[in-house]
Amino acid sequence: MGEVSFWLVFGGALLIAEMTTGTFYLLMVALGALLGAGVAYMGYPVPLQIAAAGVFAAAATLALKNSRKNDSAAQTDNQSLDIGNPVSVESWQQGGRATVQYRGSQWAAESVDAAPTPGEHRIVAVQGSVLKLQKSPQA
């Protein structure tokens, strides 16, 4: 029963460490340690316990990493929902920069036009927290 206790204590320590980091990667390794405890409880030798815990932890960590890639791709897609939306610019600063109200908060904006003028603009791109704006065609 000493091996089972080792795996449970190891997994518990990893869970405590995970709570201080909040990345979820240590959680995957802790779940691997829990699997190692289960394999030890069934009476399998230590090399098999280590292999089971390691393979599970590696696979779970890779799965988590891939799911986070998909989340960042979805976030980029959400930003594309901003493209084409109207924004009103009261005045431009030097270098074609401005601060605009959009979605209830202030955003930094940059003009893609050669000579920016105040008025109605459309969002053509989002780079981080900067809106790239182009003058709206007059109706």
Side-chain angles (χ1 to χ4, degrees):
M1 202 60 153
E3 294 168 356
V4 175
S5 298
F6 166 78
W7 284 108
L8 292 176
V9 169
F10 181 59
L14 288 170
L15 283 175
I16 291 169
E18 169 57 39
M19 288 181 196
T20 63
T21 62
T23 62
F24 291 106
Y25 291 105
L26 283 176
L27 179 62
M28 300 301 115
V29 179
L31 290 174
L34 182 63
L35 179 66
V39 172
Y41 182 76
M42 289 188 278
Y44 289 102
V46 173
L48 189 58
Q49 297 169 22
I50 294 170
V55 167
F56 178 86
T61 301
L62 287 174
L64 179 62
K65 183 177 179 182
N66 288 337
S67 73
R68 291 194 177 212
K69 279 184 185 176
N70 293 339
D71 287 346
S72 65
Q75 185 178 14
T76 302
D77 290 343
N78 287 340
Q79 287 180 350
S80 68
L81 296 175
D82 294 326
I83 294 175
N85 287 340
V87 175
S88 180
V89 179
E90 294 180 17
S91 65
W92 289 97
Q93 301 166 356
Q94 286 290 89
R97 299 179 192 276
T99 303
V100 297
Q101 280 292 116
Y102 178 65
R103 288 196 289 165
S105 63
Q106 288 191 339
W107 289 66
E110 292 181 357
S111 176
V112 297
D113 297 327
T117 57
E120 233 5 74
H121 289 72
R122 297 264 175 221
I123 299 171
V124 294
V126 180
Q127 291 181 343
S129 63
V130 178
L131 302 175
K132 300 289 185 171
L133 304 179
Q134 184 175 35
K135 183 76 173 167
S136 293
Q138 298 299 329

